[in-house]
Every structure is written in C-alpha cells, then in structure tokens.
Amino acid sequence: MIVYGLKACDTCRKAVKALQGAGHEVRLVDVRAEPLSAAQIEAFVAAFGEKIVNRRSTTWRGLSEEDRALPEAEIIAAHPSVMKRPVIEAGETLYLGWDAGVRDALI
C-alpha cells in the first residue's frame, strides 16, 4: 500500500499509523521529496477530478489567478503540496483523504 502525501502532514501520518496498526505494509511517498510522475498525476486527476486540488490550502491561497486557472495536473506538477492528502493506493484502487469512509474501506 502506498500513501502519497507529505511527511509533515498530520493527516498523512495518522493514516500511515492506522494502516500499519491494521497490519498493512505501508510506504509513505512525500510528494515534495519524490515528485509524482506525469502518469501518476494524470491517474489521480482521472480518479478524483477537481477534488484532487485542495482549494482550502495555504498553497492554493498563495497561487496567482493565472496558476489557479491551469488544469489540475499542471497545478499539482508545479505545486505538489496543493494536492489533497493523502492519496492512498491499495492495489488497483485509489482513495482520497482520510475520512470515515476511507478508514472503513481500508481498516
């Protein structure tokens, strides 16, 4: 299982800890340290659409209007921390966030 997020993100750390506690082998990919490939970004956008961009984040609020108008894939490629976190890859399935529905599905 792969968790894509930021190592400093509390939600990502909670997800990793809970998944490991449930017996899953988990690898955290810090998207700042290990940038996502274009194919990964496209897969995330295809799976989640505009929800993949966290429009409530500090990073989003700091973007210019020109940057905000770019397609989601381009925004994430240029500013990885604007991606909603975590994105969890469990086999062939992708999950977004760490809400009750995702927890119920994975734990």
Side-chain angles (χ1 to χ4, degrees), residues 17-88:
K17 185 176 180 180
L19 292 168
Q20 288 173 334
H24 296 286
E25 188 174 315
V26 180
R27 181 170 73 97
L28 174 63
V29 174
D30 186 322
V31 297
R32 281 190 195 141
E34 298 177 53
L36 297 170
S37 70
Q40 288 171 312
I41 294 171
E42 289 298 333
F44 294 174
V45 171
F48 306 116
E50 65 181 32
K51 291 180 185 178
I52 192 66
V53 174
N54 183 357
R55 289 178 169 79
R56 294 180 1 204
S57 72
T58 305
T59 304
W60 174 260
R61 290 191 301 262
L63 295 178
S64 69
E65 288 302 318
E66 292 170 347
D67 285 343
R68 290 179 181 189
L70 294 171
E72 285 83 6
E74 290 182 35
I75 296 171
I76 293 171
H79 307 280
S81 60
V82 80
M83 181 181 86
K84 182 165 173 63
R85 304 178 296 270
V87 172
I88 303 170

